[in-house]
Amino acid sequence: MPRRLLPAERIVRRVFEKRDYRVVPGAKVVDVWAKTWDWWQRAGFALYHVGPNHFTGASYYSNLGLRREVEVRLVDANDALYVDLGFHARLTDEGAVGGAVAAVVFLPVAAVGGAISWSQYENDANSLMWNYWHFLWQTTGKPSQILAVTPLPFGTPYPIMAPPPSAPT
């Protein structure tokens, strides 16, 4: 049975999640799969294949006590490439212990340290995601279009919907 999350863990999980879902009209998975895999490895993530055109990976952000995780799904549909990019971080055991000790001994310092950690993580995550979208644009020569305004939770796949029927002529 999976371990239940404590309330503080649920809050941290929500704060440290980012998700982006985009479409690149006219692009194909076969043209970007290997390059996408290589890009995320070069960004410092240890990757593993989850399923067809789907991988996940992790890296450790030791100075903040975080384990960063990325999940990428590429889908060909409707003559376009759909890209689901999820990014989140979890506290490592070392980060949780260090935070708890700092909170007990130096509460104001722990609060400031937590704010700085969140800010560093937020900047790093935004930078990685924007750099990946820029890389994809350079690779395909086509701009991506944002599809999801309110992202689903990390790990939940987006449905691929067929285009609306064209009007009769």
Side-chain angles (χ1 to χ4, degrees), residues 66-122:
L66 295 175
R67 175 186 167 161
R68 303 178 306 168
E69 298 176 357
V70 66
E71 184 171 2
V72 179
R73 284 187 180 96
L74 305 173
V75 177
D76 277 327
N78 308 323
D79 194 32
L81 170 65
Y82 289 79
V83 182
D84 184 359
L85 173 60
F87 194 84
H88 75 264
R90 297 181 197 192
L91 284 173
T92 61
D93 291 341
E94 295 82 7
V97 169
V101 168
V104 169
V105 177
F106 306 105
L107 187 58
V109 173
V112 170
I116 291 170
S117 294
W118 179 83
S119 177
Q120 283 180 315
Y121 165 76
E122 184 77 8

Side-chain angles (χ1 to χ4, degrees), residues 22-32 75-83 136-137 139-145:
R22 298 186 182 203
V23 62
V24 184
K28 301 274 184 214
V29 169
V30 71
D31 298 331
V32 300
V75 177
D76 277 327
N78 308 323
D79 194 32
L81 170 65
Y82 289 79
V83 182
L136 200 59
W137 171 60
T139 301
T140 63
K142 299 166 175 46
S144 62
Q145 301 168 8

Side-chain angles (χ1 to χ4, degrees), residues 154-168:
F154 186 85
T156 306
Y158 281 95
I160 302 298
M161 303 176 69
S166 54

Side-chain angles (χ1 to χ4, degrees), residues 9-28:
E9 288 177 306
R10 280 186 239 132
I11 291 168
V12 167
R13 182 165 286 170
R14 270 186 248 126
V15 169
F16 288 154
E17 281 189 15
K18 303 189 93 31
R19 187 122 184 242
D20 211 345
Y21 184 53
R22 298 186 182 203
V23 62
V24 184
K28 301 274 184 214

